[in-house]
Amino acid sequence: MPDARALTVELLRQQVDSGEVDTVLVALTDMQGRLQGKRLHARYFLDVVLEHATEGCNYLLAVDVDMNTVDGYAMSSWASGYGDFVMRPDLATLRPVPWNPGTVMVLADLLWEDGSPVVASPRQILARQTARLSDAGMTAYVGTELEFLVFRNTYEQAWDAGYRNLTPANQYNVDYSVLGTGRIEPLLRRIRNEMTGAGLVVESAKGECNLGQHEIAFLYDEACRACDGHVIYKNGAKEIAAQEGMALTFMAKFDAREGNSCHIHCSFRGTDGAMVMADRDGMSDVGRSFVAGQLRYMRELTLFLAPNINSYKRYVEGSFAPTALRWGRDNRTCAFRLVGHGPSLRLENRIPGGDVNPYLATAAVVAAGLAGIEEQLDLEPAFEGNAYDDPDADHVPTSLAEALDLWRGSEFARTTFGDDVVDHYANMAAVELAAFGRSVTDWERIRGFERL
């Protein structure tokens, strides 16, 4: 659906002339799913960047979480001099940033100086899959459900404390609790209202199971627009929390209790809006093959859904995070949950956590579904009962190392995304594994300081 609040360039000119807007934030999404970019004077954006774009160092797609330059990336290295790529604003994403006065934001696509796309850019990876889907006469619609933990500490206090002994916003399980969400309604209300002001369509906010855990849900949208909204919301929610003297985290597994999920709902429709996945009797043949594609290929694409070492700590039996690659009708013990009816029929992928890069995960979902349709895969019967107890199911990979091996060895991934993309994100995972392998954790100190 069109974004009713998206700015036009003409309206932006008026706002700049009146002094209402003075800053344009031009941002890209990096491998980790974070917004990176620069704040430009609004007049400079209108006079120069609109016509000529702007630049950013190509190491932005070749660093770890700490922004360390690391080896192994073909596109960016010391040997190649760490040059620039072009950040071309996508003016369809131009929007207000209500939590930053006088500021608007625009997302950028990445190009090389010769105009060719930066193929490892997450937004480009998704764009290539949605283009393939469009060529097949279909469009993907997506909704992402991000959970987060809220603490009554600032980000600086949490850092100084080593993220230990933080004070959660709630001291008990507040899943669906109106009283529990009321404890931090000023924060939740700001996030809801200011995301609405940024052009996102908010559905609801609710409490979740872990201490201080909450979720704000947004209306589904075309796949790329949904992912754009996801990264804007995730970044903005952190900024708003910081302004309120609090901190929130989307990390997949903060403690031994429930992790932060990011369930991805996806449905295919015809490019004319017609139903594709559903028919009068329920799921269509196309819909069944779409689900079958998820079952066939998602295990080897898990790296795009669970990109960090911590991601795999969520997959605990009985935790509402999946372990079995089964599908079921409204069954939350399965990795894939079919929900809705008729035009609202969709598949919920329960594998991703709150640390997911939405463009990469959605690209994996679209690619697997399209492959299932093209190959006319047959769908196994819906699983009934507790999928955690199914001894015959294929399982979600249990570690980043396992997911990396599957990704590297996947002929499907290489055919679908290309060797450049597979090797690029394989290196990202290898860098994280190597860094973790060199680290000494609190768990090791507690077990080994005296007793070993």
Side-chain angles (χ1 to χ4, degrees), residues 14 72 80 100 194 213 215 218 250 273 275 316 374 396 450:
Q14 296 173 18
S80 64
N100 287 328
E194 292 179 29
Q213 189 175 45
E215 174 187 282
F218 297 84
F250 295 94
M275 286 194 302
V316 177
E374 291 175 340
V396 177
E450 176 182 350

Side-chain angles (χ1 to χ4, degrees), residues 191-237:
I191 295 174
R192 292 196 310 271
N193 289 341
E194 292 179 29
M195 292 304 143
T196 300
L200 281 67
V201 182
V202 179
E203 288 190 347
S204 62
K206 66 176 288 290
E208 291 289 345
C209 298
N210 202 342
L211 306 186
Q213 189 175 45
H214 297 264
E215 174 187 282
I216 297 176
F218 297 84
L219 187 66
Y220 70 90
D221 207 338
E222 182 277 328
C224 188
R225 288 198 298 265
C227 293
D228 291 344
H230 176 118
V231 295
I232 291 167
Y233 157 58
K234 189 172 181 180
N235 188 82

Side-chain angles (χ1 to χ4, degrees), residues 119-229:
V119 297
S121 166
R123 203 166 188 259
Q124 294 283 7
I125 289 171
L126 175 58
R128 286 194 297 279
Q129 297 310 311
T130 56
R132 293 179 58 230
L133 189 63
S134 179
D135 289 342
M138 291 176 284
T139 302
Y141 287 85
V142 167
T144 62
E145 298 178 326
L146 267 173
E147 295 174 345
F148 54 88
L149 299 176
V150 182
F151 296 95
R152 298 188 184 278
N153 311 84
T154 67
Y155 281 107
E156 291 75 18
Q157 289 167 345
W159 174 283
D160 291 342
Y163 303 99
R164 303 181 190 90
N165 301 316
L166 304 184
T167 302
N170 303 94
Q171 279 72 42
Y172 52 85
N173 182 329
V174 296
D175 193 21
Y176 287 96
S177 169
V178 174
L179 179 64
T181 51
R183 286 285 201 275
I184 59 166
E185 173 59 7
L187 172 64
L188 297 177
R189 182 173 182 269
R190 267 202 71 188
I191 295 174
R192 292 196 310 271
N193 289 341
E194 292 179 29
M195 292 304 143
T196 300
L200 281 67
V201 182
V202 179
E203 288 190 347
S204 62
K206 66 176 288 290
E208 291 289 345
C209 298
N210 202 342
L211 306 186
Q213 189 175 45
H214 297 264
E215 174 187 282
I216 297 176
F218 297 84
L219 187 66
Y220 70 90
D221 207 338
E222 182 277 328
C224 188
R225 288 198 298 265
C227 293
D228 291 344

